[in-house]
Amino acid sequence: MSSPKFSNLVEMFERSVEQFGSRELFGTKVDGEWKWTTYKEMGKLVDDLRGGLASLGIQRGQNICIVSNNRVEWAVLAYACSGLGISIVPMYEAQLPKEWAFIANDCSAVALVAATKEIAAKSKEVREKAPSIQHIINLFGGEDDPASFKALLKKGAASPVPSIKPEPKDTACLIYTSGTTGNPKGVILSHGNIASNVSAVHEILPMSQDERSLSFLPWAHSFGHTVELHTMLSLGASMALCEAVDKIIPNLAEVRPTILVSVPRIFNRIYDG
């Protein structure tokens, strides 16, 4: 393999925004219709959230947890964190609060991002067991809610902060194992690690900016995180975000993806159906 195309995720992200600005990136089904976020719109969201996170005093080398299924805001947070030298620590909505608390405490997270009102309510229990958490940010509140994603976007738009360029050895993400042999263990994924894997996909698989995926594998797992989110974005391709696991088949018919990033069990279900 030749030398990697990218050395960090910030370089990769900003190159794609510049090259593919008008192209569709993320599709979300709203009121029965697929709405698409372009690369340029994504770039603006990341810039604004980076400024918003910086306004909270969150600094390079710190960790932020997110409890959320795949959604546009998940990706915005990931790339905004990268641009500040912050590591994202993804967790699953289906996990128990005691598992969120263990992970948040183990990595000394300074903030937790909650996808829903139910998760935000349970986050109070997490905060009791993970004293390092200084902020609970929600993805559902309006601009008038100072703890909301939208309020941080507004604050960041008013006070922009330039992105840093992380070193390849800097941590981009902490993926925690399922903990089948004890407590979960955090796996350190560096910028250089992920960027070199993405570069390898470019070299090995014949993919182009015209590809489209239906995203249903969780980005909280290293496979979906690297091979779908980062690789598709680096190509200028697009991802439709599946409504739910039981909607995979109808969503496939609507989106007509050219690529599926999946595990054998899902392919078997599609075949049997």
Side-chain angles (χ1 to χ4, degrees):
M1 179 184 159
S2 59
S3 59
K5 284 188 174 184
F6 315 106
S7 62
N8 62 67
L9 295 177
V10 178
E11 173 195 353
M12 185 199 80
F13 175 78
E14 292 180 351
R15 173 174 146 170
S16 286
V17 170
E18 183 178 351
Q19 286 188 343
F20 309 114
S22 62
R23 293 185 64 81
E24 294 174 342
L25 173 54
F26 292 122
T28 305
K29 198 170 184 183
V30 180
D31 298 328
E33 287 188 32
W34 288 93
K35 308 288 186 183
W36 290 87
T37 302
T38 66
Y39 277 80
K40 183 178 180 180
E41 290 167 341
M42 180 69 177
K44 176 74 165 74
L45 289 169
V46 169
D47 286 347
D48 290 351
L49 187 62
R50 186 173 62 246
L53 292 174
S55 75
L56 297 177
I58 303 175
Q59 299 175 357
R60 186 172 189 164
Q62 293 183 317
N63 300 321
I64 292 181
C65 290
I66 178 170
V67 182
S68 173
N69 295 331
N70 296 2
R71 53 192 291 170
V72 174
E73 294 91 341
W74 196 110
V76 173
L77 179 72
Y79 291 113
C81 284
S82 288
L84 287 171
I86 297 166
S87 304
I88 185 172
V89 186
M91 299 187 284
Y92 299 92
E93 292 190 20
Q95 284 177 296
L96 298 172
K98 67 178 183 180
E99 295 174 295
W100 301 335
F102 173 83
I103 291 171
N105 186 59
D106 187 66
C107 72
S108 299
V110 296
L112 186 144
V113 179
T116 66
K117 290 181 179 179
E118 291 76 18
I119 293 169
K122 293 173 183 176
S123 296
K124 294 172 184 175
E125 176 187 333
V126 175
R127 202 169 189 172
E128 290 171 3
K129 298 176 181 176
S132 59
I133 292 179
Q134 300 165 24
H135 310 281
I136 293 178
I137 301 162
N138 69 69
L139 299 183
F140 50 83
E143 288 183 354
D144 57 341
D145 176 358
S148 74
F149 182 88
K150 288 181 179 177
L152 288 180
L153 289 177
K154 185 177 181 181
K155 189 175 288 189
S159 304
V161 172
S163 63
I164 67 159
K165 299 300 182 284
E167 296 293 326
K169 62 179 174 55
D170 289 348
T171 303
C173 181
L174 288 171
I175 300 274
Y176 273 77
T177 64
S178 57
T180 50
T181 57
N183 286 322
K185 298 171 182 66
V187 178
I188 299 170
L189 298 180
S190 68
H191 279 268
N193 167 217
I194 299 173
S196 65
N197 283 344
V198 171
S199 299
V201 175
H202 279 242
E203 189 156 315
I204 294 167
L205 296 179
M207 295 161 63
S208 74
Q209 65 184 32
D210 296 322
E211 311 295 353
R212 174 163 291 174
S213 72
L214 178 67
S215 175
F216 47 79
L217 278 194
W219 295 338
H221 188 281
S222 56
F223 182 46
H225 185 87
T226 302
V227 180
E228 183 164 56
L229 175 60
H230 296 314
T231 297
M232 296 291 282
L233 184 141
S234 72
L235 288 163
S238 60
M239 291 161 267
L241 306 184
C242 186
E243 293 177 272
V245 174
D246 62 353
K247 295 288 181 68
I248 289 176
I249 301 299
N251 284 175
L252 283 172
E254 296 162 353
V255 172
R256 302 173 67 87
T258 61
I259 283 179
L260 284 182
V261 179
S262 184
V263 292
R265 183 170 58 87
I266 298 295
F267 287 126
N268 287 338
R269 282 182 56 186
I270 293 169
Y271 180 81
D272 291 340

